[in-house]
Amino acid sequence: MTNLHRSIGAAAVIPLAAVALALIFPNQQAFLAQIAITALVVLSLDLVVGFAGLATLGHAAMYGAGAYGAALYALHVWAEPLTGLIVGGLAGATIAFLSALMLMRAHGLTFLMMTVAITQILYEIVNKSRAVTGGDDGLYGIVMQPLLGVFEFDFYGRLAFWYAAVVLWLVFLLLRHIVASPFGLTARAVRDDGDRVATLGGNIFGHRVALYTLSGAIAGLAGALSAQTVQVVGLHSLSVTFSADILVMLVMGGAGRLWGGLLGALVFMMIHHYAAEIDPVRWMLFVGAILVVIVLFLPKGLFGGLEALVNRLRGRAPA
Amino acid sequence: MTDNIAWNAVHAGYGRTVAVEDISVSVAPGEKLGILGRNGAGKTTILRAMMGDAKVHRGTVQVGGADVTQRPAFQRNKLGVAVVPQTRDVFRSLTVRENLLSASADAGRLDHAVAVFPRLGERMRNLGADLSGGEQQMLSIARAIMTAPRFLMLDEPLEGLSPTVAHAVMDAVRRMVTDEGLGCVLVEQHVRTVLEFCDRVMVIERGRCAFLGTPDELEAEGTILSRAVGIAAH
């Protein structure tokens, strides 16, 4: 199979999966939209954790910034979805850029703690700015104009799903291109040995700031999509708990592989959905148990496990 | 002189520790300087001071006439200095091709690197982690030359290599240095290789320069090699 065939095949997977999911779950498209949005934010996290090797619990800061940015824009400026999406992306990118200027001077545990601190600071700022953000009540009453002036958002989440799926697909294609580009290679090289990249002419600080900002823009897009489709924005979108959830999804799916992020989000959200129906209080127990099994037996996540299985069936050594 | 790289009365080390003292030497484009000395004498520290990986306590390091003592490593590389570390440090999770492209996306440089080390051309899709020691060394050198340096610093490139592979690596380095007019600094334990390859030799003894001159002068001097390196030149 040539690289072109592989690229076309990979590009077709998300639209085909979206069609299949819409057919299998015709009455749960609002939930499917949430999966697509969550997958988007997990992809953005994968850039930082999987490709750059920076462990963070602060991605909610960018997601929340995107959500609040898009919500405020819709409520006070213009309720047009696509410009709102751009505003959300810019809000996420701005928070990411400003925090990266501090974060990228830190390493290891210090970096991790700083990501938590920045998220907590943002959370408290939004919580205390009740007049603008609604405080712990959040923002609601967001009514979006039709998408492209034609497609109305509906109560069942049909448009929300296709809107989120298309954005996810486009971002996925963009990220596939980016991770294979010299920029993406440098990110992985820095993860392996940053000092060596510096002696080869790579500006590690500048590169990490750029990567974090890109990741923040994508997380902001996801936040904006959530604000526009759910029409409510709450403090949870800025919480460290949410950051931890998406990190769990990434580890579950397999960090450092874009497919892993998608698969992790899908599996986590499905488990969440069905386990919460069985036991609304202790559903995290299911997730925890599954995560332990994955970490112990599939260190490269579900996608890594699938890949190993396919390679085994084809009689090839794992990559 | 302005095209040279130079160490000017450099005292360098790690943290508060000074590993080398009062090192002064410059290398011109096309010139080959060898650095000899026992393990721990400070040879690697001299290279690391040039790349900013060791702290320069006193003195300056210059590239092309510019004082780069306080500049970050990537700027020194942009000015034309590349280093091949003793530990090779190939990016283990990247393929050979990706290792090379991570240093430069220039397709012409990629072709050139593969022309210098044809073996790498056969291993382009293999991960860095899957290469043999000799192949990793070739990749490390090839990756350094992807940045189109004017000066190449090699830290014990033959360590752990079989004589055949070591010969192939040195042949490639020799061709590259000669054909492209690169300035070269070679830190190496194989005394005979240094004496045959280099135009000038610096011997480091306990962090200080014990000798700086031509290989012929060093061999004629007689005692320094056995004292500072621990073996005879033969």
Side-chain angles (χ1 to χ4, degrees), chain A residues 222-277:
Chain A
L225 276 175
S226 175
Q228 293 177 349
T229 56
V230 181
Q231 301 181 341
V232 174
V233 178
L235 280 174
H236 177 70
S237 65
L238 280 164
S239 67
V240 174
T241 314
F242 180 65
S243 294
D245 281 350
I246 56 176
L247 187 59
V248 167
M249 294 178 211
L250 182 59
V251 172
M252 209 177 234
R257 294 136 187 269
L258 296 176
W259 290 114
L262 296 183
L263 190 60
L266 178 68
V267 171
F268 182 98
M269 294 292 282
M270 286 288 185
I271 294 171
H272 179 182
H273 190 67
Y274 290 107
E277 273 184 10

Side-chain angles (χ1 to χ4, degrees), chain B residues 30-141:
Chain B
E31 188 186 8
K32 291 160 281 183
L33 172 74
I35 303 180
L36 291 172
R38 288 177 189 266
N39 284 336
K43 306 183 297 292
T44 297
T45 305
I46 294 172
L47 301 193
R48 292 172 70 93
M50 178 54 72
M51 291 314 290
D53 293 331
K55 184 177 178 184
V56 175
H57 293 272
R58 275 163 54 190
T60 59
V61 286
Q62 291 183 311
V63 179
D67 183 349
V68 297
T69 315
Q70 302 303 326
R71 293 201 197 176
F74 77 91
Q75 287 186 7
R76 302 175 194 222
N77 176 267
K78 299 283 185 209
L79 287 170
V81 188
V83 65
V84 177
Q86 187 177 1
T87 44
R88 294 159 193 163
D89 296 349
V90 300
F91 303 129
R92 298 174 64 80
S93 69
L94 270 59
T95 64
V96 168
R97 182 184 170 80
E98 289 171 340
N99 260 276
L100 296 172
L101 290 175
S102 70
S104 166
D106 185 333
R109 295 301 304 177
L110 184 66
D111 292 342
H112 172 66
V114 174
V116 174
F117 295 107
R119 176 81 182 132
L120 294 180
E122 302 160 18
R123 304 280 263 151
M124 288 301 244
R125 296 180 69 175
N126 289 96
L127 291 178
D130 295 339
L131 301 182
S132 68
E135 288 167 341
Q136 287 194 5
Q137 189 59 270
M138 291 176 194
L139 177 56
S140 189
I141 297 170

Side-chain angles (χ1 to χ4, degrees), chain A residues 6 182 185-186 188-189 191-193 196-203 319, chain B residues 51 53 73-74 77-78 83 85 89 91-94 98 101 105 143 147:
Chain A
R6 267 197 209 99
L185 289 179
T186 303
R188 290 158 58 198
R191 179 190 63 192
D192 279 11
D193 189 341
R196 192 53 44 216
V197 174
T199 62
L200 290 166
N203 178 352
Chain B
M51 291 314 290
D53 293 331
F74 77 91
N77 176 267
K78 299 283 185 209
V83 65
D89 296 349
F91 303 129
R92 298 174 64 80
S93 69
L94 270 59
E98 289 171 340
L101 290 175
R143 195 180 54 186
T147 64

